[in-house]
Amino acid sequence: MKKYILIRVLRSVLSILAVTSIAYLLIFEFVPRNRVFENDGMYAKISNRPDQLPLYVNSKFEELGYLIYKPQDELCRDVYGANTADYTMCQDTTSSLFKSAKATYEAKGFIFYTIEQTGYIYATKEIPVLERLLGFYSRMIVIDHPNVIQDEGNPNLERKIYIGQNWDKSSYALMCSGCEHKYLVYLDWSFPFVHQNVVSLYFGRSLPTFYGIPTFQVLTQDQGTNVLKPVTFPTGVVTDSGVMEYTCSYKSSLDSLETTKFNDNYANCSLNRNAPSMMGTSFIFGILALIFSYLISIPLGMYMASHKGKAIDKAGMAYIVFVIAVPALAYIYLFRYIGSTLFQLPESFPSLGPNNMLSYIMPTISLALPSVAGLLMWTRRYMVDQNTADYVKFARSKGLSEWQIYLKHILRNAIIPIAHGLPGAIIGAIGGAIITERIYAIPGMGKMLNDSIRVFNNNMVITLTFIFTSLAILSVLLGDLLITRIDPRIILDDKKKGKRKNVKR
Amino acid sequence: MERKVILSARDVVVKFRVRDRVLTAIRKVSLDLYEGETLAIVGESGSGKTVLTKTFTGMLENNGFIAGGKIFFEDQDLVQIKNNKAWEKIRGSKIATVFQDPMSSLNPIRTIGTQITEVIIKHQKKNRKEAREIAIDLMDKVGIPNAADRFNEYPFQYSGGMRQRIVIAIALACRPKILICDEPTTALDVTIQAQILELIKNLQKEFGFTTIYITHDLGVVANVAQRVAVMYAGQIVEYGTSHEIFYSPKHPYTWALLSSLPQLGIKGERLYSIPGTPPSLFYEVKGDAFAQRNPYAMNIDFEEEPPFFMITESHFAKTWLLDPRAPRVECPKAIRDLHATIVKIYGKEAL
Ligand SMILES: Nc1ncnc2c1ncn2[C@@H]1O[C@H](COP(=O)(O)OP(=O)(O)OP(=O)(O)O)[C@@H](O)[C@H]1O
Ligand SMILES: [Mg+2]
């Protein structure tokens, strides 16, 4: 059993890596790299300045990870060190010092270019896409430890892990000096109550939107406006502030205001905002839609089955056919129109904001609609089938009441296919989110994917691909494991190389 | 022999709505069931055996309804029962049913134990612990070895024969007065069949219930039943003691049915099968329903439905051949030799 689960988990991880790698290769090999500049104002401004354009373009490409870019002075600095006499002499491109630096780099595979107008020299080296992919994975999991911070300006930084208290001394936490984060493991009242900063994911930085912020952070940091409340800082200063102590990370130099509040270098803190992160927003909608669709379709499907052929059944079938036949985009717009004209519900999420319940109604309904149709059809058919199943007939002939038959026999057995269908529902909710979030302008991952594709925020697209794939694959795994818990006929057998063994019925 | 009638059906008519049409599956069937006996109901597929017994427990499908007649059981007319609540008091506790397929009669994802105890808890108002004891005792009685250990196992861990034993245990859990066995052994292999028959017989001796046994297998009938009713196209066409049905059957349909017994087939010869097909149940049948396929049919058979003719106190047949005006017809030779054949196959004790 354990071995089976292990193998399944490994296989799931492999699948996630495979999908992500394919996405990575496709994006970085086949999307022309120049398209990143399509929405770039800076690029437009200097596009008729041949002396500056190549420098800008190559520094961008380096940021995006396509190549290594060495402008003239960086070449010299790398070889001779900053602020040395050799470094200064090297700036003269006719000098022998520069020639030897050039030779070193040419040996490494760099190609040199000269800008005609100014005589400025720079070198670039393409990074093979497979190497970049490996680099991407090797940097993906970041583990925080006391030797992470290497700050020349702070040689006496203490390196230790210890147990300490938070600012208002209300709780204990596992803390660190020398790590990126000050708080490694801490408790608070938000789900899942125990939080950690030790292991984090890194998928590169977001460009050009959310410029320079790691993509994963873009997705997980709170959005909205700053919420202020009185905070007692480590130095004892009390002011209204939005700083969240547990997010604080290392900052090499503090400004004068910060030095009054902090007694160490961990002053780079996130602010407490009033709207959930993109990921949080998407999860809220996904879960609301999932609950909503099951809550509607299972009772309704049962009702339709027991009133087969009656008006309610026919109305339900008409709805199912409508939702299946009409493209999602069309009926989401239609429902939004109905919601806004008949019930005065907001047409877009930001108009009332995330803290107003009304904002959630129409998007949740839109997101749930397609899965309601599928589930409804399935429940109805299942119930009709079950009513003629032999064991249900036998249960009836035993004299059990209809209620008992429903609860103990039909519904219980329905959990198996429902559990199996759950992953599909989750995947459906993700897929639906991409459309729904765009239509309602919901600041979630689905909208982010749309936006990122439009502006060629490649790292973000890959990050989102990774997250969506992981969700889909893990939910399939979860569904399968769930079934083994419910259905006694499925035995996970260690001996048979972890294959699922279906005992003959 | 004066015996108490436990269930009595009078002129029962059952119809089904199929799309916009109505078919009549049971056409005025009357039947008396005596306390403690085993009555076998035989007949071709589609003759209405299952439908008839379903009316005794109110288990007709939603498109079916009883269009006429009465069914008396314990001072009430079962035909008048309309709601499920009232049926729940009868089903399982007074009239229980064992279906054909033990593989699918049990819920695959609930333990054997809970499926037995749920009826005991429901009908006998016992608590979980008492029910468990009764259930284990029952499992013992139906021949499950190590019953206590196997109480918490699931149906898939049981063989087909064992599962049918469990189904029987469930049916008998509340000591019903009547047990309806609808082809209980058809899905099982021959040796298991014999064991299950033996089991039902022994349990009947112990518990004293009345059995209705639906089967295609006349060998089974010879083995277990005291009385036999032969059904054709929604009617009982002949009934009597097993002895009478096997020794001196009177209805040409019974002759045909007996002649097609696989056990009577002679090696190398083609087994007799009844030519033609039964009449469509969608139309009213004129005359004798069997007339079209009956080699002994007379003109009257196509004109008028025959009444029941009494042969003995217990033996009745619904055929014009028994009318004093009809020509004397000798029954086929295979039938006359039937007794000897049965004794040869099943031994002296049979019949
Ligand atoms: N729910 C139903 N709807 C329509 N017709 C039905 C229904 N149930 C039974 N019938 C019809 O009633 C007739 C009698 O069926 P029944 O099942 O009683 O036959 P049977 O004698 O038990 O046959 P078998 O030996 O095959 O079990 C058949 O013609 C069948 O088609
Ligand atoms: Mg039948």
Side-chain angles (χ1 to χ4, degrees), chain A residues 76-89:
Chain A
C76 293
R77 195 175 55 224
D78 282 359
V79 179
Y80 302 108
N83 304 323
T84 56
D86 284 353
Y87 165 73
T88 321
M89 273 161 70

Side-chain angles (χ1 to χ4, degrees), chain B residues 44-51 53-54 100 182-183 214 216:
Chain B
E44 264 174 304
S45 195
S47 54
K49 308 179 292 290
T50 301
V51 171
T53 53
K54 274 184 177 170
Q100 175 175 351
D182 193 345
E183 306 187 32
I214 298 175
H216 286 277

Side-chain angles (χ1 to χ4, degrees), chain A residues 390-391 398 408-409 413 488, chain B residues 104 107 110 115 118 123 156:
Chain A
D390 282 347
Y391 66 85
K398 286 174 177 173
K408 294 187 181 166
H409 291 276
N413 289 38
Chain B
S104 51
N107 187 333
R110 302 187 64 216
Q115 299 193 54
E118 68 182 357
H123 293 301
F156 74 89

Side-chain angles (χ1 to χ4, degrees), chain B residues 16-255:
Chain B
F16 287 100
R17 284 185 208 92
V18 182
R19 300 232 159 79
D20 296 330
R21 306 207 290 168
V22 174
L23 72 77
T24 312
I26 300 293
R27 297 183 295 135
K28 289 204 166 199
V29 166
S30 299
L31 175 77
D32 284 328
L33 191 62
Y34 296 102
E35 194 161 20
E37 74 167 343
T38 299
L39 170 75
I41 302 180
V42 299
E44 264 174 304
S45 195
S47 54
K49 308 179 292 290
T50 301
V51 171
L52 177 64
T53 53
K54 274 184 177 170
T55 62
F56 302 161
T57 51
M59 292 276 290
L60 286 178
E61 282 82 2
N62 286 337
N63 64 334
F65 58 99
I66 299 179
K70 293 178 173 9
I71 302 168
F72 297 105
F73 174 72
E74 293 195 333
D75 309 322
Q76 65 174 324
D77 180 3
L78 298 183
V79 175
Q80 300 307 321
I81 300 182
K82 292 287 182 255
N83 64 342
N84 268 321
K85 270 266 157 302
W87 275 121
E88 284 159 27
K89 296 207 177 71
I90 294 174
R91 290 176 193 154
S93 67
K94 299 199 168 137
I95 305 179
T97 314
V98 171
F99 293 108
Q100 175 175 351
D101 192 352
M103 298 297 162
S104 51
S105 289
L106 297 172
N107 187 333
I109 67 163
R110 302 187 64 216
T111 62
I112 296 287
T114 55
Q115 299 193 54
I116 305 178
T117 52
E118 68 182 357
V119 293
I120 301 172
I121 293 168
K122 165 96 189 180
H123 293 301
Q124 303 189 347
K125 311 275 178 280
K126 300 277 195 240
N127 65 29
R128 217 162 269 284
K129 203 163 158 266
E130 294 164 330
R132 186 190 146 94
E133 263 155 42
I134 298 174
I136 290 178
D137 186 48
L138 263 168
M139 286 168 74
D140 235 18
K141 281 213 167 76
V142 297
I144 306 289
N146 305 328
D149 295 337
R150 310 209 60 177
F151 183 83
N152 283 325
E153 287 185 8
Y154 288 91
F156 74 89
Q157 291 162 300
Y158 278 56
S159 68
M162 298 262 265
R163 269 189 249 186
Q164 194 61 304
R165 286 167 192 267
I166 294 296
V167 170
I168 290 168
I170 294 173
L172 296 179
C174 296
R175 305 291 164 98
K177 300 232 158 60
I178 301 174
L179 180 69
I180 300 168
C181 300
D182 193 345
E183 306 187 32
T185 57
T186 312
L188 304 172
D189 72 53
V190 185
T191 46
I192 309 289
Q193 273 183 20
Q195 289 171 12
I196 297 285
L197 285 185
E198 199 59 30
L199 173 70
I200 295 176
K201 248 183 178 169
N202 292 338
L203 291 170
Q204 192 174 14
K205 268 185 214 135
E206 188 178 340
F207 293 4
F209 50 84
T210 308
T211 314
I212 298 177
Y213 217 107
I214 298 175
T215 180
H216 286 277
D217 187 343
L218 287 170
V220 172
V221 178
N223 226 328
V224 299
Q226 282 102 49
R227 284 201 315 137
V228 181
V230 181
M231 283 193 78
Y232 181 73
Q235 293 186 318
I236 292 181
V237 293
E238 180 167 7
Y239 62 91
T241 63
S242 313
H243 216 267
E244 286 160 341
I245 298 296
F246 281 94
Y247 272 163
S248 54
K250 292 294 186 236
H251 199 289
Y253 176 68
T254 314
W255 297 343

